[in-house]
Amino acid sequence: MAELITGPDGAVVDGVLRLGADGVVAAAGYEVTTTKTSRGLRYDVLTPIGEQLSWTAPAAAQRTLVLGGARSGKSTEAERLLADHADTVYVATGGDGSADAEWAERIALHRSRRPASWGLVETIELVPLLETPGPPLLIDCLTLWLSRTMDACEVWADHSRTVQVEQRIEQLAEAWSATTRLVVAVSNEVGAGVVPADAGTRLYRDLMGRVNATLARRSETVLWCVAGRAVAL
């Protein structure tokens, strides 16, 4: 009877045929066909004695969304995920902190944690970055991206402009889905508290939920951070 043993580095058939995320180490008498699926690369094996086995190598997580509340450890977790990529570009969406001393202190703390080799881009124009091939991106965070996008669209003064923000959310989601980069994005979960008293804050809460849900559906991995611990969703 054919034997299939799986492990973190791949699978082995009968102790001789090796299957991995990147390919096959062939063995005489074994026929292997591969099929790309949404779950990863599926191997269908026909053994020399006519038995058939299948195994799927899990797809690498190209798009990861890290969610959590304030001070939940989500930024630290996102940085950990890309710690081995020396060429990572950190995309800061909150500005440079020049107008707020407390915010500038937070930015300085984040910078001190990051590898010196990482690049830095301060912008809310995420679509061009996602559409351009290049090194990994760490986007921190979508919460500030949304608030500044709402500022740019002047939604706070005129809620009828919400459609412009919704269009930008869809554009971001399309670029996120199609990007060839390795990307990790951080976002806050703001909908778990009391219902906000004013219409503007309620609108922001609702749009934030839409951003998170839209990108989560298009991500291979979604993590939820609580008290410094990350849980896969």
Side-chain angles (χ1 to χ4, degrees):
M1 182 175 179
E3 181 184 54
L4 174 68
I5 298 177
T6 63
D9 298 323
V12 179
V13 181
D14 294 338
V16 293
L17 176 68
R18 298 184 182 275
L19 313 173
D22 300 321
V24 179
V25 178
Y30 291 82
E31 297 180 16
V32 182
T33 58
T34 59
T35 306
K36 288 185 178 180
T37 73
S38 60
R39 295 177 53 239
L41 190 63
R42 190 185 77 219
Y43 292 101
D44 294 303
V45 179
L46 180 64
T47 72
I49 61 174
E51 291 189 277
Q52 292 185 323
L53 300 171
S54 293
W55 176 74
T56 299
Q62 183 175 343
R63 286 161 286 265
T64 299
L65 179 63
V66 184
L67 302 170
R71 301 298 192 182
S72 61
K74 57 189 182 300
S75 291
T76 302
E77 176 65 17
E79 292 163 10
R80 185 192 66 79
L81 293 173
L82 292 174
D84 293 335
H85 297 270
D87 57 346
T88 294
V89 175
Y90 187 96
V91 184
T93 61
D96 60 8
S98 58
D100 186 327
E102 188 270 340
W103 188 246
E105 184 177 348
R106 289 194 182 202
I107 291 174
L109 177 61
H110 276 238
R111 285 176 176 167
S112 69
R113 292 198 310 245
R114 301 198 295 264
S117 62
W118 282 16
L120 173 66
V121 176
E122 296 176 342
T123 184
I124 63 169
E125 298 300 327
L126 302 182
V127 170
L129 287 171
L130 291 167
E131 290 180 339
T132 305
L137 298 177
L138 196 167
I139 301 169
D140 195 356
C141 63
L142 295 175
T143 316
L144 292 170
W145 172 84
L146 177 61
S147 63
R148 294 183 66 195
T149 297
M150 292 174 72
D151 289 343
C153 293
E154 300 181 346
V155 168
W156 307 108
D158 183 357
H159 292 180
S160 69
R161 296 177 182 269
T162 299
V163 66
Q164 298 178 27
V165 179
E166 292 172 336
Q167 289 171 351
R168 297 196 187 190
I169 293 172
E170 289 304 316
Q171 291 166 0
L172 173 62
E174 290 297 324
W176 176 265
S177 296
T179 189
T180 59
R181 294 184 189 243
L182 177 65
V183 288
V184 176
V186 176
S187 189
N188 282 65
E189 173 51 64
V190 300
V194 298
V195 177
D198 64 282
T201 307
R202 288 195 297 272
L203 175 62
Y204 174 76
R205 177 203 59 179
D206 293 347
L207 288 173
M208 192 71 258
R210 178 171 178 179
V211 170
N212 291 344
T214 300
L215 266 64
R217 286 194 298 270
R218 302 174 186 228
S219 300
E220 288 82 15
T221 300
V222 181
L223 301 177
W224 169 249
C225 290
V226 181
R229 303 293 295 271
V231 179
L233 299 180

